[in-house]
Amino acid sequence: MNKVISGAREAVQGIPDGATILMGGFGLCGIPENLIAALRDKGTKHLIVASNNAGVDDFGIGILLRSRQVKKMISTYVGENDTFERLCLSGELEVELVPQGTFAERLRAGGSGIPAFYTPTGVGTLVATGKEVREFDRRLYLLEKALRGDFAFVKAWRGDRLGNLVYRKTARNFNPLMAAAADTTIAEVEQLVEPGSLDPDTVITPGIYVDAIFQGTNYEKRIEQRTHRPKGGAGA
Amino acid sequence: MKSESSRERIVRRAALELRDGFYVNLGIGMPTLVANYIPRGMTVILQSENGLLGIGPFPEVGEEDPDLINAGKQTITEIPGAAYFHSADSFAMIRGGHVDLTVLGGMEVDQEGNLANWMVPGKMVKGMGGAMDLVAGARRVVVMMTHVTKEGEPKILQKCRLPLTGARVVHRIISDLAVMDVTPAGLVLAEIAPGVTVEQVRQATEAELKVDPETLKTVMV
């Protein structure tokens, strides 16, 4: 078994117009930089992209918005992107806003063979519109449906030829959930290693969820909000 | 400068909600500043919904790690004893009632404990992020905000007018003028800022305020 492919360009070859793609990351942290850039270069259109955020104007998913390749975004917060705002207001981009915990759980359900679940989040709000509400133990819950993708683009720190993945710090975020919730999962990693190099106890995404893997290049890993404390000082 | 000091007063009062051993999620913006006022000797573990228990201080210049941010996308550090997890685990903690306290900002709160802080119709909607899950799941929900808008309009209402973040979810409101508790009997004035009269608070509040002079305290900051 060898899931290793040459790179992002090969990875996006088979992605058709109109595909639904799950993209890992929180803000610009843990995003599949190489895959997003390759998809921009290929010019695939009418995409439905599910990702917590929509990148910034000139980086992350923002570059796919700029080139008008995205038809619809499924996200939880999209505040850092002017292009996004402009496309929304002009009606060129459709948006489904989902509470973040519901978004995460819909992905987990999607990867786990669970078609829907009840959650207390959003009861009594606009999010509940059109959804079944049911009472359990004298509390109200909403029925939310699983979310899956045709493809998932995930970013990990290290991965092996069999697709086992290890993440680093908060760059993990939605990546493991998305890896499990797509028909085809493509992983880009900073370090591609041989099977046996990863401690099996530390693997977060077992290789069964990953169809293709490659070592990415030229990671920018841009920081959105650079915040500091004075040297030697405390404070948050 | 007046707004600066009233913000600071709200932040310092909100920090008094912390208890030793609490797991706490602080919202983006003003609530994040509460971390600067954790009393010395008290252990409070801060949760970040993007996948970290144990937020540390901001990094020193040159020590930033792009793989380590908080929910506001700011560079942070981890404390000794921190733990990382994915987003579904993060919200299992939140929704599952494991987070003792969340402190959030608010645009409107009403006397039934309804909170609106994510959307203004007609303006660009940026999304609710994790706020709806936090108010649905945290054991205690404290909202900190200025008592009135910049235009002087009340934000503590009989009934929220903006779309809700959560229905009947708020336990306590901390403003620059007062501390108020949502109770089965209605909105109770618990504390009042030094130099402020009950009448002034009433005038700045649209909600019905219950006041018991026996229990009313001056804000302890």
Side-chain angles (χ1 to χ4, degrees):
Chain A
M1 190 189 291
N2 184 10
K3 298 179 179 180
V4 177
I5 56 172
S6 59
R9 204 165 154 184
E10 181 185 348
V12 301
Q13 273 321 306
I15 297 180
D17 286 353
T20 297
I21 310 180
L22 314 175
M23 295 190 191
F26 187 102
L28 302 177
C29 180
I31 61 172
E33 291 182 24
N34 283 251
L35 286 163
I36 292 170
L39 198 60
R40 193 258 324 266
D41 294 344
K42 181 168 177 278
T44 315
K45 286 194 165 39
H46 312 301
L47 299 168
I48 298 175
V49 175
S51 189
N52 189 61
N53 310 96
V56 293
D57 270 325
D58 62 340
F59 194 59
I61 292 168
I63 65 172
L64 298 174
L65 298 174
R66 257 189 173 180
S67 53
R68 308 284 198 275
Q69 287 171 262
V70 182
K71 177 178 73 177
K72 179 180 176 182
M73 286 290 316
I74 305 171
S75 298
T76 85
Y77 188 81
V78 293
E80 289 92 1
N81 192 318
D82 293 337
T83 310
F84 189 99
E85 184 161 347
R86 205 173 54 249
L87 292 174
C88 268
L89 294 172
S90 70
E92 288 175 81
L93 179 65
E94 193 189 332
V95 189
E96 179 183 341
L97 290 169
V98 183
Q100 200 171 120
T102 298
F103 185 64
E105 196 63 18
R106 286 177 67 191
L107 290 164
R108 177 157 75 172
S112 324
I114 306 289
F117 57 91
Y118 287 98
T119 176
T121 303
V123 171
T125 75
L126 288 177
V127 167
T129 309
K131 289 174 187 156
E132 182 194 324
V133 177
R134 186 165 162 186
E135 187 178 323
F136 296 91
D137 300 326
R138 297 189 320 198
R139 193 170 176 199
L140 297 176
Y141 296 83
L142 291 186
L143 184 68
E144 292 279 4
K145 288 183 182 158
L147 178 60
R148 286 185 58 86
D150 300 318
F151 297 88
F153 288 0
V154 305
K155 156 74 190 353
W157 175 43
R158 303 176 79 201
D160 68 19
R161 215 160 16 85
L162 299 175
N164 296 302
L165 303 178
V166 175
Y167 304 89
R168 210 175 151 265
K169 302 186 186 283
T170 55
R172 185 183 309 185
N173 55 64
F174 295 90
N175 283 297
L177 305 167
M178 291 178 168
D183 295 345
T184 302
T185 292
I186 306 162
E188 59 172 270
V189 296
E190 289 178 55
Q191 296 170 28
L192 186 61
V193 299
E194 284 305 305
S197 305
L198 302 176
D199 176 355
D201 267 332
T202 67
V203 170
I204 301 296
T205 295
I208 192 169
Y209 298 121
V210 176
D211 299 286
I213 186 168
F214 65 94
Q215 183 167 303
T217 53
N218 302 317
Y219 279 106
E220 181 181 337
K221 298 177 79 170
R222 192 187 292 187
I223 290 174
E224 235 170 299
Q225 308 280 345
R226 205 172 279 270
T227 38
H228 299 117
R229 68 174 187 271
K231 244 188 157 51
Chain B
M1 282 318 286
K2 185 180 176 288
S3 71
E4 188 66 23
S5 66
S6 66
R7 266 170 70 93
E8 196 186 311
R9 187 192 297 171
I10 297 170
V11 171
R12 278 191 289 124
R13 176 57 191 82
L16 298 179
E17 299 293 309
L18 303 170
R19 298 287 177 273
D20 192 46
F22 263 20
Y23 289 90
V24 178
N25 184 298
L26 299 174
I28 294 166
M30 189 163 62
T32 303
L33 302 174
V34 172
N36 295 334
Y37 295 92
I38 298 172
R40 213 172 283 274
M42 185 185 281
T43 303
V44 171
I45 309 270
L46 299 176
Q47 201 251 17
S48 195
E49 61 263 32
N50 55 320
L52 167 62
L53 262 184
I55 304 174
F58 289 142
E60 289 186 358
V61 174
E63 301 294 317
E64 317 88 343
D65 183 340
D67 289 336
L68 181 45
I69 61 169
N70 64 16
K73 286 100 178 175
Q74 297 172 312
T75 48
I76 50 167
T77 59
E78 65 189 32
I79 61 165
Y84 293 104
F85 35 83
H86 62 55
S87 301
D89 275 347
S90 178
F91 283 92
M93 291 173 197
I94 291 168
R95 226 191 287 99
H98 307 281
V99 170
D100 297 292
L101 168 70
T102 187
V103 183
L104 299 171
M107 298 195 292
E108 291 177 356
V109 186
D110 68 28
Q111 59 200 39
E112 290 174 357
N114 297 315
L115 168 67
N117 70 356
W118 77 282
M119 145 176 209
V120 179
K123 281 200 183 171
M124 176 65 193
V125 181
K126 294 187 168 182
M128 64 293 276
M132 285 195 181
D133 304 280
L134 280 162
V135 299
R139 289 187 186 210
R140 186 166 168 79
V141 177
V142 171
V143 172
M144 55 189 286
M145 60 186 199
T146 55
H147 207 96
V148 296
T149 66
K150 281 192 197 109
E151 294 75 34
E153 297 297 321
K155 295 162 77 173
I156 300 162
L157 308 175
Q158 292 183 8
K159 195 89 187 165
C160 285
R161 298 186 257 275
L162 294 171
L164 297 185
T165 305
R168 297 174 181 273
V169 291
V170 176
H171 297 96
R172 173 165 273 192
I173 307 165
I174 297 173
S175 81
D176 45 334
L177 299 184
V179 176
M180 293 138 287
D181 288 321
V182 179
T183 75
L187 192 64
V188 174
L189 185 64
E191 297 173 27
I192 193 161
V196 176
T197 66
V198 172
E199 201 41 48
Q200 282 171 318
V201 178
R202 277 197 203 281
Q203 271 177 11
T205 309
E206 185 203 277
E208 259 177 66
L209 263 187
K210 315 258 178 207
V211 183
D212 180 353
E214 296 278 295
T215 58
L216 181 62
K217 290 188 286 200
T218 301
V219 175
M220 309 173 287
V221 287

